[in-house]
Amino acid sequence: MDDFLELGQFLLIALEDKDFNTPNVVLEETDTGFRVDWECWVTYSTMDWNQFVAERPNTPQQFRVGFMLDDYFNFDFSDPTKFLCLKFHVPESETTLWGYVRLDSPVTHKLRAILAEHTNQQETGGAGFLTTHGDLTTTGAFDSYGIFELKFPENPTPAANGSQVEITDFLTMGWVSDYAALSTATAKAQNPAQIAAAKMTVPDGFYIDPIAAEPEVVQPIAFTIDERGRLWVVEGHTYPQRAPEGEGNDRILIFEDGDFNGSFETRKVFM
């Protein structure tokens, strides 16, 4: 253990084995002590990459991959005005896949937020060259790494020959899982508002992404969005009944997404 580098709640340790190799190991500090990040060490995925390619399941599988933006728009994903294209690879396989996600989806919104932060790090001293698609940027030559959920389309065009997959989620940049964040994401996915939204049917090109629900907001009767992107909501706890002067319980809430990642970080009672 000849080097420590503190990365938030993580420690990056350079070890030296009996053959004088110096691999890096990541430790995560938790309430019950340190965890060894063995998942990065073995490139853990919920399914073997080559098995995934051979069996082509249409249920999402989680992978640690290298990725870059690409422009391979073909077959079921031929329209670059509707889809984002990423090229994926894993170290243990020579097979690359192209992944697609709609530009107007919550997954693309998440990619924008996380890649924007990553791009800023690259521009201030990171390695690699930048590849862009609209307002999205990655580093080239598979210099970007992340954890994605992928699945094959249910009725793919035969000519695609199993080379195209759907991106169902982007979990994190890099291969180190932030279990606290993933637990939060899992809890969010199990939220009744998220479940209700998933059952709604909307026109092509639209999606529903709940941003506030009980108990954060109750009895909403009106809302507006100001020039700073803040959401103002009127709660009608007393309305339409007229209360005596000073005894009304209606109020106005302000929700603000300060880092523009699609989630409101602050909730204030305006009056």
Side-chain angles (χ1 to χ4, degrees):
M1 190 180 303
D2 55 15
D3 186 31
F4 275 94
L5 177 61
E6 191 169 350
L7 299 173
Q9 68 186 57
F10 301 102
L11 290 175
L12 177 64
I13 303 174
L15 300 177
E16 184 175 296
D17 63 21
K18 62 184 179 63
D19 297 320
F20 303 104
N21 297 313
T22 56
N24 290 327
V25 175
V26 175
L27 301 181
E28 180 182 11
E29 187 175 10
T30 70
D31 293 337
T32 57
F34 285 97
R35 290 182 175 180
V36 177
D37 180 44
W38 61 270
E39 295 157 319
C40 289
W41 188 283
V42 299
T43 321
Y44 172 76
S45 298
T46 57
M47 188 176 191
D48 177 77
W49 183 259
N50 292 324
Q51 180 186 5
F52 178 68
V53 172
E55 297 183 4
R56 304 179 188 178
N58 51 36
T59 54
Q61 303 294 326
Q62 186 183 119
F63 294 97
R64 285 169 166 78
V65 294
F67 71 97
M68 64 183 295
L69 286 164
D70 204 71
D71 58 359
Y72 182 62
F73 295 99
N74 209 341
F75 306 116
D76 298 312
F77 308 95
S78 59
D79 191 345
T81 67
K82 293 183 178 180
F83 295 101
L84 172 73
C85 174
L86 296 179
K87 188 176 182 180
F88 295 115
H89 92 116
V90 295
E92 64 271 16
S93 176
E94 296 181 358
T95 302
T96 59
L97 294 175
W98 284 265
Y100 302 86
V101 61
R102 292 192 66 94
L103 288 171
D104 56 4
S105 75
V107 177
T108 302
H109 193 93
K110 189 189 301 186
L111 273 163
R112 283 193 174 98
I114 298 178
L115 287 177
E117 179 180 352
H118 182 66
T119 299
N120 290 336
Q121 294 171 354
Q122 291 290 331
E123 290 175 342
T124 56
F129 59 91
L130 300 179
T131 306
T132 62
H133 179 103
D135 61 343
L136 288 167
T137 305
T138 66
T139 56
F142 295 118
D143 227 7
S144 298
Y145 293 85
I147 303 178
F148 287 80
E149 283 188 356
L150 310 173
K151 75 180 187 70
F152 280 88
E154 293 190 11
N155 298 295
T157 300
N161 198 29
S163 62
Q164 297 179 317
V165 296
E166 296 177 9
I167 302 169
T168 58
D169 203 358
F170 175 44
L171 302 179
T172 185
M173 201 73 184
W175 286 358
V176 178
S177 293
D178 184 339
Y179 287 98
L182 292 179
S183 296
T184 300
T186 300
K188 181 179 178 182
Q190 296 172 346
N191 184 286
Q194 293 286 344
I195 295 173
K199 295 180 179 180
M200 297 180 185
T201 301
V202 295
D204 187 38
F206 291 83
Y207 67 92
I208 298 174
D209 184 18
I211 54 176
E214 294 182 346
E216 288 83 10
V217 58
V218 180
Q219 293 286 92
I221 58 175
F223 73 92
T224 189
I225 299 174
D226 66 18
E227 70 280 359
R228 291 166 52 184
R230 298 181 300 176
L231 178 67
W232 296 62
V233 182
V234 177
E235 290 185 331
H237 297 273
T238 303
Y239 178 86
Q241 304 299 321
R242 182 177 293 276
E245 182 71 24
E247 296 182 14
N249 293 319
D250 298 342
R251 60 183 181 178
I252 299 175
L253 307 178
I254 306 174
F255 295 89
E256 185 169 6
D257 177 14
D259 56 9
F260 301 101
N261 68 350
S263 300
F264 290 105
E265 291 83 32
T266 61
R267 171 187 175 276
K268 299 178 181 178
V269 178
F270 179 69
M271 62 178 295

